[in-house]
Amino acid sequence: MAARIGIFAVVVAVFLSIPAFSSAQDLQIVNAERRIDLSSHIVKAFLTLKVENIGKSAAAEMLLAFSPTQIKNLAMVQALAITGKKKKKTYLPLDVKPTEQPDAPNDTGYYRVTFVSPLGPGETVSLEVLYILTHSLEPFPVEITQSESQLVYYHDSAVILSPYHVKQQTTFVKTPSTRVESFTSIEPANRAGKEIKYGPYENRASYSYAPVIIHFENNSPFAVVEELVREIEISHWGSLQITENYRLTHGGARHKGVFSRVDYQSKRSVSGASSFNALLAVLPPRVNSVYYRDDIGNISTSHLRTGFRKSELEFEPRYPLFGGWRATFIIGYRVPLEDYLFEASDGRRYLNFTFGCPLVETIVNKLTIKVVLPEGSKDPSAILPFTVNQDLQVKYSYLDIVGRTVVVLQKDNVVPTHNVPFQVYYTFKPIYMLAEPFMLVSAFFFVFVASLAYVHIDLNIARK
Amino acid sequence: MAALESPQPAATTTAMRHAFGNVLSVLILVLIGVLAFSIRLFSVIKYESVIHEFDPYFNYRVTQFLSKNGIYEFWNWFDDRTWYPLGRVIGGTVYPGLTLTAGTIWWVLNSLNIPLSVETVCVFTAPVFSAFASWATYLLTKEVKGSGAGLAAAVLLAMVPSYISRSVAGSYDNEAVAIFALIFTFYLYIKTLNTGSLFYATLNALAYFYMVCSWGGYTFIINLIPMHVLLCIVTGRYSPRLYIAYAPLVVLGTLLAALVPVVGFNAVLTSEHFASFLVFIIIHVVALVYYIKGILTPKMFKVAVTLVVSIGMVVCFIVVAILVALVASSPTGGWSGRSLSLLDPTYASKYIPIIASVSEHQPPTWPSYFMDINVLAFLVPAGIIACFSPLSDSSSFVVLYIVMSVYFSGVMVRLMLVLAPAACIMSGIALSQAFDVFTGSIKYQLGGSSNSTDNAEDTNNAPKDDASAGKTDKGEEIVKERSSKKGKKKEREPADKPSVKSKAKKKALVLPLETSIVALLLLIMLGAFYVIHCVWAAAEAYSAPSIVLTSQSRDGLHVFDDFRESYAWLSHNTDVDDKVASWWDYGYQTTAMANRTVIVDNNTWNNTHIATVGTAMSSPEKAAWEIFNSLDVKYVLVVFGGLIGYPSDDINKFLWMVRIGGGVFPHIKEADYLRDGQYRIDSEATPTMLNCLMYKLSYYRFVETDGKGYDRVRRTEIGKKHFKLTHFEEVFTSHHWMVRIYKLKPARNRIRGRAKKLKSKTTSSGWSSKSEKKNPWV
């Protein structure tokens, strides 16, 4: 009942709010708290906003502003509306979309958050916003030796960049260790242990910006996959073959000079602190035939743990990765088809698989997912919760004649939060499954017929 | 026996037996093929599907190039990633048979939309061709001694350890296809010899062409066949069939061989081929003599002979003198170094250390005969005896083949591979004859009462012999002549088989029942022993890919994958045009796996260049740096086994570097590296040794691993423990220290001030960009 009223309200609100669309100053942020987590190379920022409508008309949406450097590295923005009081808190996911504003100062980028129901005049709403930044920690010094630990800069503003007036705000920055070389202090600002607190700041006008630089130690693995191509091949004979081609690099401060194995092996704590040599991939449960190799053969340093909910593949590249070093490898595995392929109510089939990269805490600069449909499939369409580039290709595999349709999904700047299910719908007639066995059978049949004919036909011109 | 008593019903049963026997043989052959293929898969199952060792990596790389760029690019391929700065013309210096074969297989599969990678095709080429080789052995032995011997020889060859060692899955080397080509060429030669058919003679030339494409060992064919022809002529076995078998082979074969770029005019210029031309002349003379003999009366003929011989002797003498002078005028007498070391086993160790330094060019030890051909070594003499009863053209050929290959294998362990097929053929003949005799006697003893003995094994042999006995008893020569005119299979078969055997068996070779049974059991046990040994050899001895090592210890299997670790490091973390210097053993692997330019590689065509690297390795740091710098080298790779006890590392090969280097640059003296004639690296080692680059690169900071610097290969503490490198810096050392890569430090700048200025400039620019980023809003 309530839901129906809600939907009705939304519909009404959309109609009502269209004229009062751009009245940005109708909203103000009463209270904002920002927590920035810098403990890995993926920067996560949690914003808790309390938004009030001080205008005269209802507001259906609000804007989130990001500086140009941030918008470039922004991997994902999610927003939740909090309803209810402490005990009965419920979170409702909100629709967040990138948008452009004609009067944006200094190339500010925007995301538009649409409220569940339009915010009436005088009403307030609490929001939780999560945004994730990649490549935002800049190593300084740019090059380090094996024994040095990695120091990075993080650039941001002490106050929240917002197109709205912010009455009160605080920012907490969490660093991975207590070693902070320096941070820009904008009073009141202080640091305790692993946390730097900026604020509280009162009554900041819209678009206020107070740049800060935090220079701190971060030795977490800066594992960046420059390019990942995942090929998911559907075989209606019962399995799903996944092949993942990785091009991995260490995205932190570049390694300089000597790499000494003695130091690396004996003084592990001080030597190569920023390097990493172990990675963890979370694979689906019931995974089988897992392999891990590269262009020149099998890599023997891997362990697989299978479980009910997930399987974990712990593996090491051939050599430890120091800043700027690269490695390529291939992970392949097979999962049973019935876990991932379903038949929709309209008779179409659909694949339900996880998007993103199986490696934990890894940024993927360019992710390409290729879903290879069985030969003879038609009308492919992919459904994803976020926008990706889509394309269709044709691939020829074992004994194909017309080729297999390949749905190519391509997305840049992917973080682990993108590991959500996606669906690929297609139509397929089971009779096509028999095409290849039939071809083989007929080929053998032909061979036997030919040899039969050869034995019985006398090709001699003269009879003996 | 049954056939002689009641001919009419027996004819149908014999036909039935023929059909049954044929089907059975085909089935057995298929199984032999499967056996040959699958016994070579231990390497894939125990390790992985990967290319093995050194040379296969080069072949693999060439195949990759071929499949990517096509045949024309391949012929013109100038490889600038090896032998820097000289480069190497791959198309003109490589035996293309293997790569073309694998490339064709890959192409065919891919055009059938079977997307196998080039690597997979390369890995499985050798096992596939060993199946072909065992079928070729069947054909060859069948031509010599019948299909029973053929099957026995084929099954022996399918799992002879010597051949397995070169053809396990992943061992993608020339020999893999060459052995098949060798046997098949021999088969076609024998086939032509038995039939006198020009069709087979042409095929023979084509097979020879394939062999020339595949392996430098083709000279074995082109010397062995003339020797056999000569043998036939000398023993009075000249026949038109011999002429047809030989003359087209020489003409067509030489023309075709000259088409292969790597052989080219060598096919007529070098001494390896002279024997064939000489015999070619002789066979023509003999043919002429036989022709004239047919025309003239015996008396006239005698006169003619004396006349021709007296003139001919003079002419021959002159020709031979000219040839000798020509050959003598060339420095190596027209022979290549490897061939010379075959004729004179001490040649290489005296003059060409680079050939002597390769372990597979050393003479084998006795145990290696037992390891590689096992019980065949005992069966071979029996086979030779069987070949002499009766001696035919074809059996004299296999006798000659075994004799020659025994000699060659005694010179070079690598040529054990040529011996293996001969040994298999001989043993196959021996086994089959023995089985014939024993089962024949058992059948005779038991089957005195009952006529139709359906004894299993030899029935497909015996009835055939019986059936043909009546016809062929008169003399096989005539039968062969006749059958060669008619080209029909069924009639030829009995003629091919020396049928005197059956007669002899009937009369003399009947042994007591118990003896026969015991002997049979012993033979089966011998065979079982052979099978066990072969499987063991395939599984344990010859399947390791040598780029990845494993060791079994109490807490499980340890994998030492250091080579690929460092090659992968090189390929991903150095610039694509960097030059890597290492000893030549690792050249092929570096170009194939790391895709980096190397100075020298396993194709040891330029001794001076290798000597340069050897000299650099044996020089003190500064001099070595200068040599390497002059070669544009950026990284130096050394293989070091001292930490984990890997014996074939660079320190153990080091004396060869000194020898080869010293052979060209006399200031490197072997004596400087030896203390009282002993090679040592402990505190007793000479200062030259302790200061040379190889020592330093191998043992740099080694002492810090255990505090003492104990070398597990040499089983001693190293001589010089603490030292610094001034011109090189360690950039990578693999997990078990097996591969260490050093970078040449850049030359010190002449103008000291400039470096500082540059530095300050870069930092300031860095700061300015930072300040831009710091405040993007202003």
Side-chain angles (χ1 to χ4, degrees):
Chain A
M1 197 63 181
R4 195 174 293 165
I5 291 169
I7 291 166
F8 178 69
V10 168
V11 172
V12 171
V14 166
F15 277 104
L16 288 179
S17 62
I18 286 167
F21 212 58
S22 61
S23 54
Q25 291 309 321
D26 290 353
L27 295 175
Q28 73 162 352
I29 295 170
V30 182
N31 190 2
E33 187 189 278
R34 183 169 58 155
R35 290 181 178 276
I36 301 172
D37 183 3
L38 300 179
S39 51
S40 81
H41 67 309
I42 302 172
V43 177
K44 299 184 196 79
F46 302 92
L47 272 175
T48 312
L49 301 173
K50 197 171 178 196
V51 185
E52 185 184 12
N53 188 352
I54 51 171
K56 293 186 175 60
S57 54
E61 57 195 27
M62 71 173 288
L63 294 171
L64 299 170
F66 296 96
S67 73
T69 45
Q70 284 187 337
I71 201 90
K72 204 172 65 207
N73 297 324
L74 199 60
M76 163 164 264
V77 182
Q78 285 178 333
L80 301 168
I82 309 171
T83 50
K85 286 282 171 248
K86 270 187 181 166
K87 289 214 171 153
K88 288 188 189 169
K89 255 186 191 174
T90 51
Y91 295 94
L92 281 174
L94 299 178
D95 188 31
V96 184
K97 280 214 167 73
T99 178
E100 305 234 325
Q101 292 290 318
D103 54 344
N106 287 331
D107 301 324
T108 312
Y110 294 94
Y111 275 74
R112 174 186 291 155
V113 180
T114 313
F115 297 129
V116 181
S117 56
L119 206 58
E123 284 180 351
T124 59
V125 65
S126 291
L127 297 178
E128 286 271 2
V129 177
L130 163 71
Y131 63 88
I132 292 171
L133 297 169
T134 58
H135 302 292
S136 294
L137 301 182
E138 179 196 359
F140 189 85
V142 180
E143 288 188 332
I144 55 171
T145 62
Q146 190 178 350
S147 56
E148 286 174 311
S149 103
Q150 177 172 267
L151 299 173
V152 293
Y153 279 140
Y154 176 66
H155 300 266
D156 205 338
S157 160
V159 292
I160 297 165
L161 184 70
S162 172
Y164 310 111
H165 181 83
V166 185
K167 273 176 108 174
Q168 195 190 32
Q169 59 177 314
T170 331
T171 294
F172 299 93
V173 180
K174 193 182 154 212
T175 57
S177 69
T178 52
R179 187 175 166 196
V180 177
E181 295 288 301
S182 67
F183 64 97
T184 317
S185 175
I186 289 171
E187 288 302 323
N190 59 12
R191 175 180 156 233
K194 290 181 179 178
E195 201 171 72
I196 301 167
K197 183 181 177 193
Y198 284 103
Y201 304 114
E202 308 280 339
N203 283 328
R204 293 294 170 133
S206 59
Y207 294 114
S208 6
Y209 195 80
V212 293
I213 299 177
I214 303 167
H215 193 201
F216 61 101
E217 181 192 59
N218 190 338
N219 281 326
S220 69
F222 276 43
V224 179
V225 179
E226 288 179 329
E227 190 175 359
L228 168 60
V229 180
R230 301 179 79 191
E231 192 178 274
I232 302 161
E233 191 166 337
I234 301 169
S235 159
H236 278 260
W237 292 99
S239 70
L240 214 58
Q241 172 70 45
I242 295 116
T243 315
E244 299 169 347
N245 269 286
Y246 291 86
R247 217 173 69 215
L248 184 75
T249 185
H250 186 300
R254 278 203 305 281
H255 179 68
K256 180 173 69 178
V258 173
F259 165 64
S260 164
R261 184 63 76 165
V262 173
D263 293 343
Y264 184 74
Q265 279 171 340
S266 56
K267 300 169 222 159
R268 194 63 189 85
S269 54
V270 289
S271 167
S274 70
S275 72
F276 61 90
N277 72 339
L279 293 161
L280 184 70
V282 178
L283 303 180
R286 298 179 64 188
V287 64
N288 59 65
S289 317
V290 183
Y291 65 86
Y292 168 49
R293 57 166 294 156
D294 67 359
D295 293 340
I296 53 176
N298 185 41
I299 310 174
S300 47
T301 44
S302 58
H303 300 281
L304 179 72
R305 288 188 296 269
T306 48
F308 279 118
R309 311 213 43 199
K310 63 179 182 186
S311 306
E312 285 183 336
L313 178 71
E314 206 176 62
F315 64 98
E316 293 175 12
R318 287 195 185 274
Y319 40 86
L321 284 176
F322 281 82
W325 287 13
R326 286 159 209 282
T328 59
F329 53 88
I330 301 166
I331 294 176
Y333 48 92
R334 197 172 280 179
V335 286
L337 191 70
E338 65 263 26
D339 295 3
Y340 299 95
L341 196 80
F342 307 96
E343 201 167 340
S345 50
D346 57 353
R348 291 193 297 166
R349 283 148 212 276
Y350 70 95
L351 170 81
N352 186 24
F353 205 71
T354 316
F355 196 81
C357 165
L359 300 189
V360 295
E361 282 298 299
T362 313
I363 300 170
V364 183
N365 288 350
K366 186 181 174 192
L367 170 70
T368 311
I369 292 190
K370 295 180 174 174
V371 180
V372 184
L373 303 176
E375 197 176 21
S377 314
K378 289 195 182 71
D379 315 320
S381 67
I383 293 173
L384 287 108
F386 33 76
T387 53
V388 294
N389 296 331
Q390 296 194 12
D391 197 9
L392 288 182
Q393 287 178 352
V394 177
K395 184 194 169 185
Y396 293 92
S397 185
Y398 292 93
L399 298 172
D400 286 349
I401 294 171
V402 293
R404 309 184 182 192
T405 315
V406 183
V407 181
V408 183
L409 311 169
Q410 201 261 312
K411 181 166 173 53
D412 291 343
N413 211 2
V414 177
V415 289
T417 340
H418 285 112
N419 292 3
V420 291
F422 72 99
Q423 291 81 33
V424 176
Y425 285 85
Y426 64 95
T427 52
F428 179 76
K429 290 201 186 72
I431 193 76
Y432 284 111
M433 283 168 70
L434 297 175
E436 276 157 17
F438 178 73
M439 259 168 58
L440 283 180
V441 167
S442 48
F444 272 99
F445 182 71
F446 183 76
V447 166
F448 281 115
V449 166
S451 58
L452 210 68
Y454 174 77
V455 169
H456 285 275
I457 292 172
D458 189 2
L459 287 175
N460 284 320
I461 299 167
R463 189 163 290 278
K464 288 195 179 140
Chain B
M1 289 156 259
L4 290 177
E5 282 164 41
S6 51
Q8 201 46 41
T12 48
T13 45
T14 354
M16 276 304 290
R17 274 183 185 167
H18 267 276
F20 185 67
N22 283 342
V23 169
L24 205 62
S25 321
V26 169
L27 199 68
I28 291 170
L29 278 177
V30 169
L31 286 177
I32 288 173
V34 170
L35 169 73
F37 182 81
S38 48
I39 200 171
R40 286 164 171 83
L41 297 188
F42 275 111
S43 61
V44 171
I45 293 161
K46 287 188 70 179
Y47 295 88
E48 56 179 288
S49 168
V50 73
I51 309 284
H52 289 199
E53 300 195 325
F54 305 105
D55 287 20
Y57 267 98
F58 169 74
N59 298 325
Y60 169 48
R61 182 163 161 259
V62 176
T63 316
Q64 273 182 318
F65 184 90
L66 172 71
S67 58
K68 204 183 287 169
N69 298 302
I71 180 95
Y72 292 106
E73 285 291 313
F74 165 69
W75 288 125
N76 296 325
W77 186 18
F78 178 79
D79 186 10
D80 59 349
R81 301 199 77 77
T82 178
W83 292 95
Y84 183 84
L86 308 169
R88 177 182 172 193
V89 187
I90 299 280
T93 57
V94 78
Y95 285 101
L98 177 73
T99 38
L100 288 180
T101 308
T104 313
I105 295 173
W106 178 84
W107 180 80
V108 167
L109 287 177
N110 271 268
S111 43
L112 288 175
N113 276 334
I114 298 175
L116 290 182
S117 67
V118 179
E119 191 189 2
T120 315
V121 172
C122 292
V123 165
F124 292 102
T125 299
V128 167
F129 269 80
S130 48
F132 293 168
S134 31
W135 294 333
T137 311
Y138 164 76
L139 292 172
L140 172 57
T141 321
K142 189 183 156 202
E143 283 304 308
V144 179
K145 280 282 174 188
S147 54
L151 288 174
V155 75
L156 291 176
L157 185 101
M159 50 187 179
V160 64
S162 169
Y163 186 30
I164 286 179
S165 75
R166 290 315 185 105
S167 64
V168 292
S171 180
Y172 179 57
D173 211 346
N174 288 336
E175 290 92 330
V177 298
I179 292 304
F180 158 71
L182 181 87
I183 302 171
F184 198 60
T185 312
F186 286 156
Y187 156 67
L188 285 170
Y189 170 70
I190 297 291
K191 186 81 183 172
T192 325
L193 195 58
N194 281 347
T195 58
S197 144
L198 257 181
F199 171 69
Y200 285 110
T202 319
L203 280 189
N204 190 16
L206 287 175
Y208 172 67
F209 174 58
Y210 185 64
M211 178 69 194
V212 178
C213 281
S214 307
W215 195 31
Y218 75 90
T219 47
F220 183 68
I221 296 183
I222 205 62
N223 284 306
L224 185 68
I225 290 181
M227 283 167 84
H228 178 244
V229 171
L230 204 61
L231 186 78
C232 284
I233 292 171
V234 168
T235 53
R237 291 177 159 271
Y238 172 80
S239 66
R241 287 177 287 108
L242 187 69
Y243 183 84
I244 287 171
Y246 185 65
L249 174 68
V250 172
V251 178
L252 279 178
T254 308
L255 282 176
L256 288 170
L259 291 180
V260 183
V262 64
V263 178
F265 278 106
N266 284 351
V268 286
L269 287 181
T270 57
S271 305
E272 279 98 338
H273 306 81
F274 276 1
S276 65
F277 299 129
L278 196 67
V279 174
F280 187 66
I281 296 168
I282 292 172
I283 198 171
H284 276 94
V285 170
V286 172
L288 190 72
V289 167
Y290 271 81
Y291 177 68
I292 292 170
K293 201 177 179 182
I295 297 174
L296 298 179
T297 57
K299 206 177 173 188
M300 283 288 282
F301 181 69
K302 246 176 197 170
V303 178
V305 164
T306 34
L307 191 73
V308 168
V309 162
S310 48
I311 299 170
M313 284 293 271
V314 177
V315 174
C316 275
F317 185 75
I318 294 166
V319 168
V320 166
I322 291 170
L323 275 180
V324 166
L326 271 178
V327 167
S329 64
S330 79
T332 57
W335 294 81
S336 70
R338 279 194 186 127
S339 312
L340 267 182
S341 60
L342 278 181
L343 297 179
D344 173 11
T346 56
Y347 178 81
S349 52
K350 270 189 284 187
Y351 301 109
I352 321 171
I354 206 150
I355 291 182
S357 75
V358 181
S359 62
E360 62 183 24
H361 291 162
Q362 310 287 346
T365 51
W366 285 113
S368 73
Y369 275 97
F370 186 72
M371 176 71 196
D372 275 1
I373 57 175
N374 200 247
V375 303
L376 304 187
F378 311 119
L379 287 171
V380 164
I384 295 177
I385 293 168
C387 280
F388 275 101
S389 60
L391 189 69
S392 64
D393 291 351
S394 45
S395 63
S396 67
F397 177 78
V398 289
V399 171
L400 191 67
Y401 177 23
I402 185 101
V403 170
M404 294 311 293
S405 57
V406 164
Y407 168 72
F408 285 130
S409 69
V411 177
M412 246 189 218
V413 67
R414 182 183 183 183
L415 292 178
M416 195 79 94
L417 197 55
V418 177
L419 169 68
C424 289
I425 292 165
M426 282 302 176
S427 314
I429 292 170
L431 274 182
S432 146
Q433 296 276 308
F435 269 100
D436 260 1
V437 168
F438 295 135
T439 51
S441 2
I442 291 173
K443 202 160 64 176
Y444 183 79
Q445 304 279 6
L446 294 178
S449 54
S450 68
N451 273 341
S452 59
T453 43
D454 280 333
N455 212 330
E457 304 207 21
D458 68 330
T459 35
N460 46 347
N461 254 347
K464 265 191 242 166
D465 292 340
D466 293 342
S468 61
K471 285 188 283 180
T472 50
D473 272 357
K474 294 163 208 162
E476 52 170 353
E477 282 294 307
I478 309 158
V479 177
K480 268 180 191 161
E481 293 271 43
R482 191 192 58 190
S483 69
S484 67
K485 278 172 207 155
K486 299 185 175 185
K488 202 82 176 156
K489 265 187 190 169
K490 283 165 196 164
E491 280 161 308
R492 214 181 301 136
E493 229 159 56
D496 297 340
K497 220 168 297 157
S499 52
V500 192
K501 186 180 65 183
S502 61
K503 201 171 59 181
K505 188 182 75 180
K506 256 186 277 175
K507 281 180 185 163
L509 291 172
V510 176
L511 298 168
L513 183 64
E514 293 77 19
T515 326
S516 309
I517 290 172
V518 169
L520 266 185
L521 285 177
L522 285 176
L523 269 185
I524 289 167
M525 268 177 62
L526 195 69
F529 181 70
Y530 176 72
V531 171
I532 289 166
H533 174 79
C534 289
V535 172
W536 172 81
E540 303 294 331
Y542 291 134
S543 284
S546 97
I547 53 160
V548 46
L549 311 166
T550 53
S551 81
Q552 198 80 41
S553 71
R554 265 175 290 119
D555 46 334
L557 188 75
H558 281 274
V559 179
F560 301 97
D561 204 359
D562 287 37
F563 285 109
R564 285 191 294 186
E565 177 185 347
S566 38
Y567 290 136
W569 184 84
L570 271 178
S571 92
H572 293 301
N573 300 308
T574 59
D575 191 70
V576 80
D577 286 326
D578 285 345
K579 281 88 193 168
V580 181
S582 65
W583 190 232
W584 60 263
D585 294 25
Y586 312 104
Y588 278 164
Q589 290 186 349
T590 312
T591 38
M593 282 199 263
N595 190 23
R596 291 294 172 268
T597 310
V598 294
I599 305 298
V600 292
D601 68 21
N602 309 43
N603 177 262
T604 51
W605 66 275
N606 189 326
N607 192 32
T608 316
H609 220 50
I610 292 180
T612 311
V613 174
T615 307
M617 292 294 191
S618 10
S619 305
E621 223 190 314
K622 178 117 184 18
W625 185 88
E626 270 158 15
I627 294 173
F628 280 142
N629 197 44
S630 71
L631 285 169
D632 261 5
V633 169
K634 203 149 177 209
Y635 296 95
V636 181
L637 181 150
V638 295
V639 172
F640 170 66
L643 186 75
I644 52 151
Y646 170 63
S648 49
D649 65 348
D650 277 349
I651 291 283
N652 272 4
K653 290 172 185 167
F654 181 60
L655 270 193
W656 287 110
M657 301 183 205
V658 173
R659 271 174 212 156
I660 294 169
V664 177
F665 302 99
H667 68 276
I668 303 289
K669 292 182 196 70
E670 192 179 337
D672 293 345
Y673 298 85
L674 303 175
R675 173 76 71 192
D676 305 329
Q678 270 191 317
Y679 178 61
R680 52 202 309 174
I681 45 101
D682 55 7
S683 48
E684 292 292 301
T686 59
T688 325
M689 178 69 212
L690 295 181
N691 282 315
C692 72
L693 185 72
M694 180 50 73
Y695 180 89
K696 284 195 163 181
L697 296 190
S698 290
Y699 293 115
Y700 177 63
R701 299 190 71 183
F702 177 57
V703 69
E704 291 172 45
T705 52
D706 59 353
K708 287 186 303 196
Y710 182 78
D711 187 320
R712 285 193 174 75
V713 175
R714 267 66 59 177
R715 297 179 184 284
T716 173
E717 272 182 40
I718 59 172
K720 195 172 166 187
K721 294 176 181 174
H722 301 276
F723 54 87
K724 283 207 165 77
L725 294 173
T726 44
H727 299 281
F728 294 86
E729 63 180 8
E730 183 187 12
V731 286
F732 189 77
T733 296
S734 62
H735 189 248
H736 303 97
W737 288 56
M738 275 165 62
V739 181
R740 311 194 69 183
I741 302 171
Y742 293 84
K743 191 178 182 180
L744 269 74
K745 281 188 186 164
R748 202 167 283 160
N749 281 337
R750 283 176 199 280
I751 312 155
R752 293 243 163 147
R754 235 185 107 197
K756 272 184 194 166
K757 219 188 273 172
L758 269 174
K759 215 177 212 173
S760 62
K761 212 185 252 175
T762 49
T763 45
S764 70
S765 69
W767 269 111
S768 68
S769 70
K770 209 129 295 158
S771 58
E772 259 171 49
K773 268 187 190 166
K774 201 161 51 172
N775 201 348
W777 305 105
V778 186

